[in-house]
Amino acid sequence: MALTCTFNRWGTLLAVGCNDGRIVIWDFLTRGIAKIISAHIHPVCSLCWSRDGHKLVSASTDNIVSQWDVLTGDCDQRFRFPSPILKLQYHPRDADKVLVCPMKSAPVLLTLSDSKHVVLPVDDDSDLNVVAAFDRRGEYIYTGNAKGKILVLNTDTQDLVASFRVTTGTSNSTAIKSIEFARKGSCFLINTADRIIRVYDGREILTCGRDGEPEPMQKLQDLVNRTPWKRCCFSGDGEYIVAGSARQHALYIWEKSIGNLVKILHGTRGELLLDVAWHPVRPIIASISSGVVSIWAQNQVENWSAFAPDFKELDENVEYEERESEFDIEDEDKSEPEQTGANAAEDEEVDVTSVDPIPAFCSSFSDEELEDHKALLYLPIAPEVEDPEENPFGPPPDGGGQNPSEDGSAHTGGDKKQRQPSADGAPPKKKARTTTIELQGVPSDEVHPLLGVKGDSKSKKKTAGRPKGTKGKEKDSPFRPKLFGDRERERDRGVAVDGAVKGRPEAVPVPGKTPAGSACDTLALCRSQQPNPNPRSTADANQPLRLSPVQIPLPPP
């Protein structure tokens, strides 16, 4: 069951954290699983990609923060905190720094190279319900507490640069739930406990200085239902804001410049939303509810006549009359025109080696002229070979208990201290270094919100962790795949259904090799082509969004 998801910087890979401790990396272009990392024993509660995409940092409900090498799947190092981790974030420009927000504690800035940490200053020592986030470039850290106080700290020196308080129109303050920054521009949003999303300009905040009184650019809320917001984020270009309801699986999309509500996306009734992520480049939204990742996108209609002005669409076949010289190598009757203008420019040398930066991947026009050529955009997928006759790349199948070492020599199987190579012939994995982070005055008996309240017999703590065995327990197992639509519900009850339900998208199972009766997770994806970047130009806001979810099973743990 999925709990959290996040895109990499280019939107080519989607990392999903599951409640059995695995991290599933999904290739968003091929709609297939690129890698599965057995990261933790307890549920994964937060994920973040590094800037170049080679590293992935994760946090689990047992207070462990780990850094992973995406290509090899190895753990570089671990950090053990005394309290649960609510959020973690890589520095936008420096992959050596990670911002961690522990529960009932001040935010902590980790330095991965030397395993050191710095506790950030807070406004009130008695109020430690603090959330924090890097700004777009990582120059400043914005923190917010339960009393509505926002502090802007310098990342390098941790000095206070600016501060202000979020009020509800009167002298009353409201708690800060989350702070999110746009990928482009200087805007950021603050999700507060009074169910209002406030959008601010970061330049105005820095201009006001300490104890300033900046006015928000927009105030976004649901005046009819008074909906509280579980998760909020910006679109890739920063022009739209999406917020997920904390009561149901519903997504509200606003236009940032005007503040008007563009569209409301409704998911399955009765499901609670866990996480929302907007694709960095395309108008696609990923949401998680009931352990299933749903991909929201516009249903594209192919229009071939738009590719060429003289292209004609035919309703039926037309007999084509071939010209006499149509397929000749050289047209003898063709006269040689004089090379003037555009024809004369064909002899010029064309540069085909230099690569221009893609503006959609740059956070500003004056920034990042030179893209990182070592960035990890895709993951190689090894083909699965059934019953191979011989394994030329791995260790010999009957090697007599001998394992080759790195220098080519052989060690006997009796050497227990010798690290065993992996099954695929890769070098032996290094044991990750674990560092314990000591925080003063932080309670160690706190329980993560995903696991429920302490003493609650109905909390999800019973079903957390990797399942020990599910044979014969598929009916009541919490890891049983969720199915979409009324068609699947009728099929589970044994009722024959003729044809798809009208008005409901039909779930199409993708054939896989998952054995029957085994526990598996599911991802619901929507088949979509290249969508239009402007969601209002392709479909009216009053028209329903037509999706085609596809059930794709994940391999059992």
Side-chain angles (χ1 to χ4, degrees):
M1 295 175 63
L3 297 179
T4 180
C5 65
T6 177
F7 287 99
N8 66 345
R9 182 164 156 251
W10 302 270
T12 56
L13 299 175
L14 175 67
V16 179
C18 304
N19 72 335
D20 58 359
R22 293 183 300 167
I23 300 175
V24 179
I25 300 178
W26 187 266
D27 193 318
F28 199 75
L29 298 181
T30 63
R31 300 291 199 267
I33 297 174
K35 198 173 194 64
I36 298 177
I37 302 176
S38 298
H40 302 272
I41 301 177
H42 293 263
V44 179
C45 56
S46 184
L47 287 171
C48 186
W49 290 86
S50 63
R51 180 175 177 81
D52 58 0
H54 284 272
K55 301 294 182 181
L56 190 67
V57 65
S58 64
S60 61
T61 55
D62 59 347
N63 313 346
I64 298 294
V65 174
S66 304
Q67 185 189 28
W68 304 91
D69 189 294
V70 179
L71 274 178
T72 62
D74 297 337
C75 180
D76 295 338
Q77 53 186 323
R78 290 189 177 94
F79 297 89
R80 187 184 304 274
F81 282 79
S83 61
I85 307 302
L86 300 179
K87 175 191 173 182
L88 47 81
Q89 181 186 4
Y90 264 113
H91 191 286
R93 296 292 191 271
D94 187 1
D96 192 41
K97 295 180 180 179
V98 176
L99 180 62
V100 183
C101 297
M103 193 174 178
K104 299 294 181 63
S105 170
V108 177
L109 184 61
L110 284 178
T111 305
L112 301 178
S113 59
D114 53 6
S115 300
K116 294 183 179 180
H117 69 280
V118 176
V119 180
L120 301 181
V122 294
D123 180 66
D124 189 356
D125 294 334
S126 61
D127 183 12
L128 295 179
N129 295 317
V130 183
V131 295
F134 283 111
D135 68 344
R136 182 173 60 86
R137 296 178 181 272
E139 298 175 356
Y140 301 100
I141 299 176
Y142 287 65
T143 66
N145 59 10
K147 296 182 179 179
K149 191 63 176 294
I150 301 292
L151 302 182
V152 183
L153 307 175
N154 188 294
T155 303
D156 298 329
T157 63
Q158 289 82 47
D159 294 335
L160 181 62
V161 178
S163 64
F164 67 97
R165 187 178 298 275
V166 178
T167 59
T168 59
T170 60
S171 59
N172 299 328
S173 60
T174 178
I176 307 298
K177 297 174 63 177
S178 63
I179 303 174
E180 300 290 339
F181 280 82
R183 286 170 48 89
K184 291 186 178 181
S186 58
C187 295
F188 67 97
L189 63 84
I190 298 177
N191 181 20
T192 55
D194 61 351
R195 307 176 184 183
I196 299 177
I197 302 173
R198 295 170 172 84
V199 183
Y200 290 91
D201 190 349
R203 294 170 296 185
E204 182 183 358
I205 302 299
L206 298 176
T207 304
C208 293
R210 298 186 181 184
D211 297 328
E213 295 181 357
E215 288 295 328
M217 299 169 52
Q218 298 291 345
K219 288 185 178 181
L220 310 176
Q221 59 181 322
D222 185 6
L223 294 174
V224 179
N225 302 318
R226 296 291 298 167
T227 303
W229 309 113
K230 175 72 174 180
R231 182 82 164 82
C232 309
C233 64
F234 283 91
S235 62
D237 55 2
E239 296 297 329
Y240 294 89
I241 295 173
V242 61
S245 172
R247 295 175 178 172
Q248 58 182 340
H249 189 185
L251 304 178
Y252 292 69
I253 302 177
W254 292 275
E255 193 171 358
K256 184 196 70 175
S257 59
I258 306 176
N260 60 323
L261 183 64
V262 177
K263 190 179 288 292
I264 302 177
L265 306 176
H266 292 284
T268 307
R269 288 183 176 271
E271 294 182 349
L272 294 180
L273 192 70
L274 293 179
D275 199 3
V276 176
W278 196 306
H279 194 279
V281 184
R282 301 165 61 185
I284 296 176
I285 301 175
S287 64
I288 295 180
S289 64
S290 299
V292 177
V293 179
S294 302
I295 305 298
W296 303 83
Q298 288 285 357
N299 191 11
Q300 297 298 311
V301 179
E302 295 182 353
N303 184 14
W304 292 95
S305 61
F307 290 96
D310 55 348
F311 194 92
K312 296 181 180 180
E313 294 183 359
L314 302 177
D315 297 332
E316 57 184 8
N317 293 334
V318 177
E319 184 176 356
Y320 179 71
E321 296 180 0
E322 178 186 339
R323 299 193 309 270
E324 182 179 356
S325 61
E326 181 173 2
F327 295 102
D328 293 346
I329 298 178
E330 294 182 359
D331 191 358
E332 300 176 356
D333 301 333
K334 185 178 181 180
S335 59
E336 291 292 336
E338 297 180 0
Q339 292 187 353
T340 57
N343 296 329
E346 294 181 358
D347 297 335
E348 297 180 1
E349 184 178 356
V350 180
D351 183 12
V352 295
T353 58
S354 61
V355 180
D356 296 334
I358 302 176
F361 295 152
C362 301
S363 56
S364 66
F365 294 103
S366 61
D367 186 21
E368 308 165 6
E369 282 82 3
L370 298 177
E371 286 292 317
D372 188 5
H373 297 287
K374 297 181 181 180
L376 183 63
L377 297 180
Y378 308 100
L379 289 178
I381 301 178
E384 296 181 1
V385 181
E386 296 182 359
D387 299 330
E389 297 180 359
E390 57 184 7
N391 187 8
F393 300 103
D398 50 354
Q402 295 183 356
N403 296 316
S405 62
E406 296 179 359
D407 55 357
S409 62
H411 293 268
T412 61
D415 189 2
K416 297 182 179 180
K417 295 183 180 179
Q418 174 66 26
R419 291 178 295 184
Q420 301 292 333
S422 60
D424 56 354
K429 297 182 179 180
K430 299 180 181 178
K431 188 175 181 180
R433 180 178 74 255
T434 303
T435 304
T436 302
I437 304 297
E438 299 290 344
L439 300 177
Q440 299 295 330
V442 177
S444 58
D445 58 346
E446 294 293 334
V447 180
H448 198 279
L450 284 176
L451 302 180
V453 186
K454 289 185 295 183
D456 186 4
S457 60
K458 298 181 180 179
S459 74
K460 299 180 181 179
K461 194 173 183 179
K462 295 181 181 179
T463 62
R466 195 165 296 161
K468 296 181 180 179
T470 56
K471 186 176 182 180
K473 301 180 182 179
E474 293 83 12
K475 183 179 294 185
D476 300 328
S477 174
F479 300 93
R480 184 170 177 266
K482 303 287 184 180
L483 296 179
F484 276 82
D486 296 336
R487 182 184 180 92
E488 282 70 26
R489 296 190 182 95
E490 295 296 337
R491 187 181 296 124
D492 289 346
R493 292 197 294 264
V495 181
V497 180
D498 296 331
V501 181
K502 185 177 181 180
R504 295 275 185 175
E506 181 180 1
V508 182
V510 176
K513 300 178 181 179
T514 305
S518 62
C520 64
D521 301 333
T522 57
L523 286 177
L525 294 180
C526 296
R527 295 175 176 174
S528 61
Q529 304 296 329
Q530 293 289 341
N532 194 307
N534 188 359
R536 295 185 300 167
S537 63
T538 55
D540 188 67
N542 298 324
Q543 295 180 356
L545 195 65
R546 298 181 179 178
L547 304 176
S548 301
V550 179
Q551 293 283 332
I552 299 183
L554 303 184

